[in-house]
Amino acid sequence: MFRTTTRQRVLALALAVLGATSLAACTTGPGQDGNRPRASAAPADPAARPDLRRFYGQKLSWRPCGDVQCASLTVPMDYARPGDGRTFVLPLARAATAVEGKRLGSLVLNPGGPGESGVKLVEDGVAEDLGRGVRERFDVVSFDPRGVGRSTPALTCLTGNRAEDEEAAVDEAPLLPRTDAERTAALAGARAQAAACRKASGPLLPHVGTQDAARDLDVLRAALGERRLTYVGWSYGTSLGTSYAEQFPRRVRAMVLDGAVDPSLDWRQRVLGQSAGFRDAVEEYAASCADVVGEGCPGASPEEIRALIDRLLERTRREPLPVDGSEDGLDAAGLVGALSLSMYTPEAQWEGLSEALRAADDGDGTRLAALAAGDEEAPDAGADAGADAEEDAEEDAEEDGPDASDVPEDNSEAALIAVNCLDVPHPRDPRAYWDALAPAREAAGDYGTSGVTSELVCADWPAGTQRPHRVDAAGVPPVLVVGTTGDPATPYDEAVGLARQFPGGMLLSFDAPGHTGYGRDACVDRKVEAYLVSLTKVRPGTRCAS
């Protein structure tokens, strides 16, 4: 039986979605194993480096912040030059739940994105959704990664120039840009968005990649006083965990990677797989709506629901649906975005989607537009833990990025684009994207072509150092990968592939629709938490069913 938990309720829709950018790392070239670049790899013991000692030697000063505790962590902006004075200050939040005499250490969480706030996750009560055995043995800790949320400095793509920001906030590209004019407009919009990000956050962009964030995670481990890391990462958090395991394999105690990203896939493979995942998830919505939503479905049968969606797609291709308070309305790209965003947690989202589709069939696109914009129920962003940590950051951080007053309260979209585009470069030549449109349409229809055009922003991004590669983490203890068979954002095949790449990797399969498994199902929770607490291995072929 599904249950809606705090992590699902506060799931920021900055997760990779069609119409934003791909969740996975992206790159040029074919999906080959490749070699993990060594230039930025961490040395055997970075804590012993004189220029890193002040970071590794930090003592965290925890203090009450509402129902949790907060602190801040300072990390070098550039690990190649840690003594140059440039830093990120990361806000931390902790639920001190461990019972004296039973405590094993700290459990560090990353909720995904990239762009989701770990501070919000903790302050909104994620610890309450963990099993009693986990709470008694671990304090629950999370953080806002470099550039994200209330880290200082933080990313933004808003320049403060209204004309430039309006130019960068162009309308969605057509689902399938066919003509030269449509392709020119789509490329111009993507380039304007990339230019705005460079202008607003240029000094930060080379330093927000996952490899550096994983090194921050090791500084956090040391500051927490942990000899080895116990970690759970959802979605993009699996990329962060994988990078940590590659750089610090012998510093892992236990690692759960739920909703896995396979680092061996190139940008095009990732887009095709994810786009097909969303298409299949929408098909599953039509087939299973009655089981999840009941009488609230927008059709009496799967065929009626499919027909409604097809009818709306055709209608919005011709003319946008009216949206209250908007002159632009909801076009076909916005409809695909609303559908895709609603596939993450069926138990929490399908009822709202059904209501929005019924309203759209009556000619009102307002509710679908809200879903496309991610304007579902969200937690209060003015939480004490983040605010207090932000005050520390403003006191401690060096000026090297946008002024804090220029950063929007929710910068998840800017962080998502910046991290994904940097992690592995996209092709520079726009013809690579146009060449991908036909295979994407064949593989996933409108979801595929929308997925390809959303990647255009990365064509003009600073080049990163990573390339597609198989996991290289010799010496890491058994890692537990959780794969949900109907996961649209991180397809199940990627979980299978990632588990196989880790030495001793374990796969726990969850037979259900929706994104990720831990926190949604009692069977998954029991096996994950037995592993976290007692390092109990999961046998090959183990499955849980909703």
Side-chain angles (χ1 to χ4, degrees):
M1 178 65 67
F2 286 125
R3 54 191 178 82
T4 303
T5 64
T6 295
R7 195 190 75 82
Q8 298 298 334
R9 291 194 298 270
V10 305
L11 179 67
L13 294 179
L15 288 166
V17 294
L18 305 175
T21 190
S22 175
L23 173 69
C26 340
T27 185
T28 58
Q32 302 172 357
D33 289 354
N35 295 311
R36 184 162 60 93
R38 301 295 178 179
S40 59
D45 187 5
R49 281 178 49 181
D51 52 1
L52 289 176
R53 283 176 185 163
R54 78 178 184 96
F55 299 104
Y56 271 89
Q58 291 176 82
K59 303 298 182 183
L60 298 177
S61 178
W62 295 102
R63 62 188 180 280
C65 294
D67 294 331
V68 299
Q69 298 173 334
C70 62
S72 60
L73 181 78
T74 302
V75 295
M77 182 172 291
D78 185 351
Y79 276 94
R81 301 174 181 82
D84 67 3
R86 298 181 301 159
T87 62
F88 284 101
V89 180
L90 312 181
L92 313 176
R94 177 175 72 173
T97 58
V99 174
E100 186 176 355
K102 293 185 177 181
R103 187 180 188 276
L104 292 175
S106 298
L107 172 62
V108 180
L109 310 178
N110 180 273
E116 288 194 67
S117 168
V119 167
K120 287 183 181 179
L121 183 73
V122 174
E123 67 192 15
D124 286 322
V126 69
E128 297 172 5
D129 294 320
L130 302 179
R132 178 179 176 181
V134 169
R135 294 196 308 271
E136 288 182 344
R137 290 164 177 82
F138 295 99
D139 294 325
V140 180
V141 177
S142 194
F143 62 103
D144 288 357
R146 52 175 54 212
V148 172
R150 297 183 183 92
S151 72
T152 304
L155 291 159
T156 181
C157 290
L158 299 178
T159 66
N161 182 301
R162 175 172 293 183
E164 290 178 346
D165 291 338
E166 288 179 352
E167 182 183 4
V170 293
D171 294 337
E172 297 280 1
L175 291 176
L176 178 58
R178 300 177 184 272
T179 67
D180 288 344
E182 288 176 337
R183 292 182 177 185
T184 297
L187 183 60
R191 285 176 169 167
Q193 186 177 30
C197 294
R198 288 196 302 271
K199 180 174 181 179
S201 299
L204 308 186
L205 298 184
H207 303 294
V208 294
T210 300
Q211 284 186 313
D212 283 335
R215 298 193 69 171
D216 298 342
L217 188 56
D218 196 54
V219 175
L220 174 59
R221 173 201 58 77
L224 290 169
E226 305 294 346
R227 188 173 65 87
R228 294 191 296 164
L229 177 71
T230 302
Y231 174 85
V232 175
W234 289 275
S235 196
Y236 164 76
T238 69
S239 290
L240 181 60
T242 297
S243 182
Y244 184 89
E246 289 184 307
Q247 297 185 70
F248 307 99
R250 300 186 186 280
R251 292 189 182 158
V252 174
R253 175 189 170 272
M255 180 170 285
V256 177
L257 305 178
D258 184 3
V261 176
D262 184 344
S264 72
L265 302 182
D266 70 20
W267 77 274
R268 183 162 154 167
Q269 291 172 314
R270 185 69 186 103
V271 169
L272 294 182
Q274 188 183 62
S275 300
F278 280 110
R279 178 206 58 194
D280 293 346
V282 174
E283 284 293 307
E284 179 64 21
Y285 161 71
S288 303
C289 180
D291 295 334
V292 177
V293 179
E295 295 181 358
C297 292
S301 68
E303 291 75 22
E304 285 189 15
I305 296 173
R306 294 187 187 102
L308 168 59
I309 292 172
D310 290 343
R311 188 163 65 246
L312 288 174
L313 280 168
E314 184 59 33
R315 182 175 178 179
T316 53
R317 281 192 181 93
R318 295 193 308 268
E319 183 179 3
L321 286 172
V323 172
D324 290 347
S326 169
E327 296 180 0
D328 298 325
L330 180 83
D331 61 9
L335 173 58
V336 168
L339 290 165
S340 301
L341 280 167
S342 299
M343 295 300 110
Y344 283 86
T345 50
E347 61 273 24
Q349 295 178 294
W350 281 6
E351 184 175 356
L353 173 63
S354 297
E355 294 173 356
L357 287 172
R358 285 200 306 272
D361 199 33
D362 291 335
D364 184 0
T366 304
R367 292 186 179 184
L368 281 176
L371 295 179
D375 294 338
E376 295 188 298
E377 289 187 4
D380 180 9
D384 292 340
D388 285 358
E390 182 180 11
E391 290 178 7
D392 285 349
E394 290 174 353
E395 293 174 1
D396 296 341
E398 297 289 337
E399 291 292 333
D400 192 19
D403 185 88
S405 61
D406 295 331
V407 178
E409 194 165 35
D410 178 2
N411 73 337
S412 56
E413 182 177 356
L416 182 146
I417 295 171
V419 176
N420 284 336
C421 291
L422 179 66
D423 267 1
V424 182
H426 283 67
R428 299 294 187 189
D429 189 341
R431 287 178 296 184
Y433 303 90
W434 312 142
D435 290 345
L437 285 172
R441 184 170 180 79
E442 182 178 354
D446 291 330
Y447 302 91
T449 57
S450 178
V452 170
T453 56
S454 73
E455 302 294 318
L456 281 168
V457 67
C458 294
D460 283 355
W461 211 261
T465 60
Q466 297 190 68
R467 296 294 184 273
H469 65 279
R470 293 183 64 82
V471 173
D472 178 8
V476 73
V479 169
L480 177 57
V481 179
V482 181
T484 302
T485 55
D487 196 321
T490 52
Y492 176 70
D493 287 347
E494 295 196 39
V496 175
L498 185 64
R500 288 174 177 168
Q501 291 170 46
F502 272 104
M506 302 175 293
L507 176 65
L508 172 59
S509 300
F510 178 38
D511 294 317
H515 184 44
T516 72
Y518 181 39
R520 296 179 61 210
D521 177 77
C523 170
V524 174
D525 293 356
R526 285 194 301 270
K527 296 184 184 304
V528 167
E529 294 180 355
Y531 165 72
L532 289 173
V533 173
S534 304
L535 303 180
T536 303
K537 292 184 178 180
V538 172
R539 294 179 179 178
T542 299
R543 310 187 77 89
C544 292
S546 62

